[in-house]
Amino acid sequence: DTGVSQNPRHKITKRGQNVTFRCDPISEHNRLYWYRQTLGQGPEFLTYFQNEAQLEKSRLLSDRFSAERPKGSFSTLEIQRTEQGDSAMYLCASSNAGMGYTFGSGTRLTVV
Amino acid sequence: QQQVKQSPQSLIVQKGGISIINCAYENTAFDYFPWYQQFPGKGPALLIAIRPDVSEKKEGRFTISFNKSAKQFSLHIMDSQPGDSATYFCAASRLSSGTYKYIFGTGTRLKVLA
């Protein structure tokens, strides 16, 4: 068990391009979360999966954002037609009982 | 009602001193209050957490004090060390859709001087 793994660690993209991030949770955890953290702020909830089912989505998650968790294992977060306001750290976390998440190290997205 | 207010924004403490970070919440439905520690370039790591039926919880040098009537909770770091220099986030949450979704404070950047 190596914790929550996120790839890539850094991504620089041009405005208007699509990007996809991957998260591999702790293997025995059935709950997976995506949060977004901007500079100087705390993380903000984006979406949550229990196994393969996406059970909740934040209003922050516009229709340009989509997340999947096929087979209840790894998850991907895709942002289409990126905008400069999407620049942030995207954090993935997993848990079993719902409390006490384990976060990954995040993917830092810079949109130029 | 969903906000968690955290103070101070930054804190400088001498080695061996006590670091105190405060948080306040509004939603009385919150029933789980974790503290996370984040180093630059890393994700937040769970430090300690408390439920509202307990007024204090201690783990090593870290203590959470909880005041349910005032809707406030605080983190005390005793014997602060330079290695404690990091950003600390409080959070509040309640069970929703089968899990706990966190509302984080804005963070406190702690610097412990050697």
Side-chain angles (χ1 to χ4, degrees), chain A residues 89-108:
Chain A
M89 174 80 86
Y90 290 84
L91 292 163
C92 177
S94 68
S95 76
N96 234 353
M99 294 185 280
Y101 302 171
T102 300
F103 280 93
S105 292
T107 293
R108 180 165 295 285

Side-chain angles (χ1 to χ4, degrees), chain A residues 46-96:
Chain A
L46 292 179
T47 191
Y48 148 63
F49 290 84
Q50 186 161 334
N51 300 311
E52 66 275 7
Q54 187 173 21
L55 296 187
E56 194 166 339
K57 290 169 63 173
S58 163
R59 282 171 290 180
L60 291 175
L61 216 62
S62 76
D63 55 7
R64 296 185 298 105
F65 287 71
S66 62
E68 294 182 341
R69 191 183 182 197
K71 301 177 184 178
S73 56
F74 71 92
S75 175
T76 57
L77 178 67
E78 181 183 16
I79 309 174
Q80 296 183 326
R81 304 181 304 281
T82 52
E83 301 173 355
Q84 286 192 318
D86 297 332
S87 296
M89 174 80 86
Y90 290 84
L91 292 163
C92 177
S94 68
S95 76
N96 234 353

